[in-house]
Amino acid sequence: MLHLVTDLLELAKLDLRELPLHPCMVDMRELAQASVQTHQAHAERAGITLHTVPAGDPVPARVDPDRLTQVLDNLLDNAISYAGAGAAIHVLVQDGDPVRLAVADTGQGIPTKHLPYLFDAFYRADTARTPSDSHSGLGLRIARGLVEAHGGTLTLNSQEGKGTQAVITLPKTPKA
Ligand SMILES: Nc1ncnc2c1ncn2[C@@H]1O[C@H](COP(=O)(O)OP(=O)(O)O)[C@@H](O)[C@H]1O
Ligand SMILES: [Mg+2]
């Protein structure tokens, strides 16, 4: 319940553009790997292989690290919750302007008819399949709002039976 109230407050602030960002130069590769690490135990319990972020040069971007971690947490939580046992998750970080991040799973995917609505508040593709304790259907809506507040984009591609890929683009240094 507290989780839902926190999400709703956050959504209201996002809509009002009153969510303060505290940007600084961050190595997105390091940030992504830290998020992967915090989800390892959860993934293991779900029978999912969560791969570490491939090593490489730092990928600097000017972002609010807490907010970007929140976005990755949402995407990883989704992949772990909905991909299904036996799936694998890869998190990729690609330098450039924009910087690109992807959270890709080899899970059951999402039926095409649901795709247009996934970013709507409270929308869940298959409520019967999943427990709704901490899943209120706000996660993607908030994640997209946070990425857009950084001047970036968040999109989801999915193929039923093959898997789902969430892609974030972020300008290296967003306009003030
Ligand atoms: N990686 C994924 N694989 C399969 N389905 C997904 C994935 N990510 C999101 N979904 C679907 O999109 C819906 C919306 O996600 P989200 O906004 O995070 O809400 P919640 O996780 O609270 O249900 C989920 O309920 C689920 O049906
Ligand atoms: Mg979610």
Side-chain angles (χ1 to χ4, degrees):
M1 194 56 177
L2 182 61
H3 188 89
L4 177 61
V5 172
T6 314
D7 276 357
L8 281 169
L9 278 174
E10 193 131 291
L11 188 60
K13 285 185 191 161
L14 269 171
D15 282 345
L16 295 168
R17 300 187 197 290
E18 275 181 10
L19 199 94
L21 291 181
H22 304 289
C24 57
M25 280 317 274
V26 174
D27 174 7
M28 295 307 296
R29 195 188 299 280
E30 199 181 317
L31 184 142
Q33 177 52 29
S35 192
V36 162
Q37 232 146 22
T38 63
H39 286 83
Q40 282 297 357
H42 183 196
E44 234 168 88
R45 282 197 301 276
I48 287 174
T49 308
L50 175 54
H51 291 273
T52 54
V53 177
D57 291 335
V59 178
R62 192 170 163 76
V63 300
D64 182 326
D66 293 342
R67 292 315 191 172
L68 252 296
T69 297
Q70 188 182 349
V71 169
L72 283 172
D73 284 348
N74 273 341
L75 298 177
L76 282 169
D77 179 69
N78 279 351
I80 294 167
S81 304
Y82 307 120
I89 303 172
H90 289 271
V91 179
L92 301 172
V93 183
Q94 193 184 14
D95 206 355
D97 196 2
V99 168
R100 292 166 67 88
L101 282 88
V103 176
D105 68 64
T106 60
Q108 51 197 348
I110 304 165
T112 316
K113 63 173 182 194
H114 294 299
L115 290 178
Y117 311 110
L118 292 178
F119 288 92
D120 293 355
F122 305 114
Y123 193 86
R124 310 190 68 226
D126 190 346
T127 44
R129 191 174 71 205
T130 52
S132 56
D133 39 17
S134 64
H135 291 127
S136 51
L138 287 169
L140 285 174
R141 175 71 176 73
I142 290 174
R144 177 176 268 175
L146 290 172
V147 173
E148 287 180 349
H150 284 81
T153 62
L154 170 60
T155 50
L156 212 73
N157 309 306
S158 190
Q159 258 187 300
E160 218 177 341
K162 292 210 165 148
T164 302
Q165 192 187 24
V167 178
I168 301 169
T169 69
L170 287 166
K172 256 191 183 297
T173 48
K175 296 177 220 101

